[in-house]
Amino acid sequence: MLTFLGFAMIATFLVLIMLKKMSPIAALVLIPALFCVFAGKGAHLGDYVIDGVGKLAPTAAMLMFAIVYFGVMIDVGLFDPIVRGILRFCKADPMRVVVGTAVLAAIVSLDGDGSTTFMITVSAMYPLYKRLGLSLVVMTGVAATANGVMNTLPWGGPTARAATALKLDAADIFVPMIPALAVGLLCVFVLAYVLGLRERRRVGSLVMPAEAEAETEAEEASLVTVGSGGSADRTDTGAQADTKAPGSGSSASAPDPAPASGAAPGAGPASDAVPEGDGFQGLDPDRPTLRPRLYWFNAALTVALLTAMIMELLPIPVLFLLGAALALTVNFPHMPDQKARIAAHADNVLNVAGMVFAAAVFTGVLSGTGMVKHMADWLVGAVPEGMGPHMALVTGLLSLPLTYFMSNDGFYFGVLPVLAEAGAAHGVSSLEIARASLVGQALHMSSPLVPAVYVLVGMARVEFGDHTRFTVKWAALTSLVVLAAGMLFGII
């Protein structure tokens, strides 16, 4: 009964979100509350929610201060050189823009934090997508999939959880997986190339005016943006008008709508201004928040922060809290300036924190009622006895749906040990099981239970349901490519 209710609750949630019948935050709260009553445990709903909130509170704190910290770093120009390099590569070619999105997301993902990756990637690439009329779900899908592959780094979370759950060394799990993960990342780049070609066919390439090319560097700098949440509207640079293909006005437009009739083949998209209230404020090279004299201080502070995270010197929420406070104090010593920077990023902070606590209701009911345990036991029990010697393959395949429908903690600490025991009974080592458990991370990063994905869709102004419909198939394909490469190389 609980198994059926668990799957039914997840299916109901996904259907309502993808059909846009409910907002994610409402669905995360109301649907599990309803199914908790159906399970006959409505009297314990409060306990389940409080337990879920307690477990996710550190995540909410980490995301809140991470958004403030990296928002300030974007404001002061720390990432401008990297972004300018990517934008110089992209120019105004849709294919290059999509590939550049994948490259930027992969590079920034080295810090091991999804929310940071999405903040920097969206801040850098969003204006280009709006100018060229590209589908924003392509941006969110490519960024999420690239980050999912890179999320398997030892300091990213899943590898450490697998090592802890099975009492193994994280290096023994991760290092042999590098070739398979490299193939997965290559798959993401190929996917970005294909999607970029499709976007190029849809909207054409924007031809830069001569006067704009004479000021390329200034234009590239002006494309670096931050989701300020403020009321200021983005202004055109004049030389490069914002452009948008007919039918792509929505931020969550389908990836390949038909071009408007009468458009010349290969012509650039029609000129159109970015809608008011877009929430993104253009930042020029002379923006007042730049702190060029403090560039190396900010770079050293960020490196120190990431090093402390990797070495686990302090809990991650504490590190980001200290880092955000120090960054604000040094870069903006005057109180009004500090308040302005906090207010600029308050929109993202509130949206993400609210989503995390709403997700606490969902995860609290799933685990508190026993639904997640019954679902995992049913899936493991459904594995045919003859598949015992191939438990590594089974684990890899199960990691796709289980890490999507469950938190990483639930999968790695609740399900993985069961799979490892089943594999051990047939001579399959725990190391192979642990490595196989990582392949589903490309899909996991678009799960509704991952708080960072709400940073992504929120900053990109994309509906979560549209992102899910577009991304799931490509992320699942990438995960299967990683699994196939692992088996081909004899790693799994």
Side-chain angles (χ1 to χ4, degrees):
M1 179 65 175
L2 287 176
T3 301
F4 171 76
L5 287 176
F7 283 115
M9 183 173 82
I10 293 169
T12 302
F13 170 79
L14 291 175
V15 168
L16 290 176
I17 289 298
M18 288 191 286
L19 293 179
K20 302 180 185 179
K21 299 298 183 182
M22 294 183 74
S23 67
I25 195 166
L28 284 168
V29 172
L30 298 179
I31 292 173
L34 183 63
F35 275 85
C36 184
V37 174
F38 289 164
K41 300 188 179 184
H44 301 287
L45 177 62
D47 296 332
Y48 300 153
V49 172
I50 294 299
D51 183 59
V53 168
K55 290 179 179 177
L56 289 183
T59 300
M62 183 272 289
L63 288 172
M64 288 170 62
F65 291 105
I67 289 172
V68 173
Y69 179 83
F70 284 104
V72 168
M73 290 298 112
I74 294 170
D75 292 342
V76 300
L78 177 62
F79 303 105
D80 282 17
I82 297 175
V83 172
R84 278 197 295 268
I86 296 293
L87 295 179
R88 191 173 292 116
F89 163 78
C90 293
K91 298 186 183 297
D93 181 1
M95 183 274 289
R96 287 172 174 252
V97 170
V98 179
V99 173
T101 302
V103 172
L104 180 60
I107 292 173
V108 183
S109 293
L110 290 171
D111 73 346
D113 178 53
S115 58
T116 303
T117 299
F118 298 146
M119 285 180 64
I120 295 172
T121 302
V122 175
S123 294
M125 306 307 296
Y126 181 92
L128 274 178
Y129 278 78
K130 294 296 287 186
R131 286 176 184 273
L132 301 177
L134 306 183
S135 172
L136 291 175
V137 290
V138 172
M139 176 180 68
T140 61
V142 168
T145 307
N147 179 251
V149 175
M150 298 297 290
N151 192 47
T152 53
L153 292 167
W155 53 88
T159 302
R161 287 181 175 90
T164 302
L166 300 183
K167 298 179 175 58
L168 301 170
D169 187 272
D172 292 337
I173 298 173
F174 176 75
V175 174
M177 279 292 290
I178 291 177
L181 296 172
V183 172
L185 193 58
L186 179 62
C187 175
V188 175
F189 293 151
V190 171
L191 170 64
Y193 176 77
V194 172
L195 292 175
L197 289 178
R198 190 163 72 175
E199 287 296 281
R200 180 197 283 171
R201 286 195 297 269
R202 182 172 70 85
V203 303
S205 293
L206 179 65
V207 178
M208 304 281 284
E211 57 268 28
E213 292 193 11
E215 301 176 356
T216 301
E217 187 169 336
E219 288 295 330
E220 285 166 352
S222 71
L223 285 173
V224 182
T225 66
V226 60
S228 64
S231 59
D233 294 329
R234 245 180 86 237
T235 58
D236 287 340
T237 59
Q240 257 183 300
D242 293 326
T243 56
K244 182 163 50 177
S248 64
S250 169
S251 62
S253 58
D256 54 351
S261 59
S271 175
D272 193 5
V274 176
E276 291 188 2
D278 184 76
F280 268 75
Q281 182 179 357
L283 301 181
D284 60 53
D286 302 314
R287 61 188 185 271
T289 59
L290 283 177
R291 297 293 184 268
R293 293 183 180 179
L294 293 172
Y295 183 86
W296 292 112
F297 167 80
N298 289 317
L301 177 61
T302 302
V303 170
L305 178 64
L306 298 179
T307 302
M309 286 171 53
I310 294 169
M311 297 179 65
E312 300 180 351
L313 298 181
L314 286 172
I316 294 179
V318 176
L319 289 172
F320 274 119
L321 192 155
L322 294 173
L326 186 58
L328 279 169
T329 302
V330 174
N331 288 284
F332 303 97
H334 302 295
M335 185 67 69
D337 293 335
Q338 292 183 15
K339 289 182 177 179
R341 288 302 89 210
I342 293 173
H345 303 290
D347 207 18
N348 285 330
V349 169
L350 180 60
N351 287 335
V352 173
M355 205 67 70
V356 170
F357 288 122
V361 181
F362 196 94
T363 58
V365 170
L366 263 181
S367 58
T369 57
M371 290 180 188
V372 70
K373 183 179 185 305
H374 281 75
M375 292 162 63
D377 290 344
W378 180 81
L379 284 171
V380 173
V383 176
E385 187 67 25
M387 291 296 293
H390 307 288
M391 279 305 296
L393 172 62
V394 171
T395 300
L397 292 174
L398 287 178
S399 72
L400 273 71
L402 290 181
T403 57
Y404 186 80
F405 295 130
M406 299 169 62
S407 67
N408 270 341
D409 284 339
F411 174 71
Y412 286 103
F413 294 119
V415 178
L416 189 59
V418 177
L419 294 171
E421 287 181 16
H426 292 87
V428 181
S429 72
S430 296
L431 274 173
E432 291 183 72
I433 299 294
R435 292 167 190 158
S437 70
L438 300 178
V439 304
Q441 288 304 305
L443 179 59
H444 171 74
M445 284 311 297
S446 289
S447 165
L449 302 181
V450 174
V453 75
Y454 297 108
V455 176
L456 175 64
V457 298
M459 291 187 67
R461 277 55 175 175
V462 169
E463 291 291 337
F464 182 79
D466 293 326
H467 169 78
T468 300
R469 276 199 304 271
F470 177 80
T471 306
V472 164
K473 56 182 177 294
W474 302 119
L477 174 63
T478 303
S479 293
L480 292 174
V481 167
V482 173
L483 178 58
M487 298 188 68
L488 181 64
F489 296 148
I491 302 167
I492 297 175

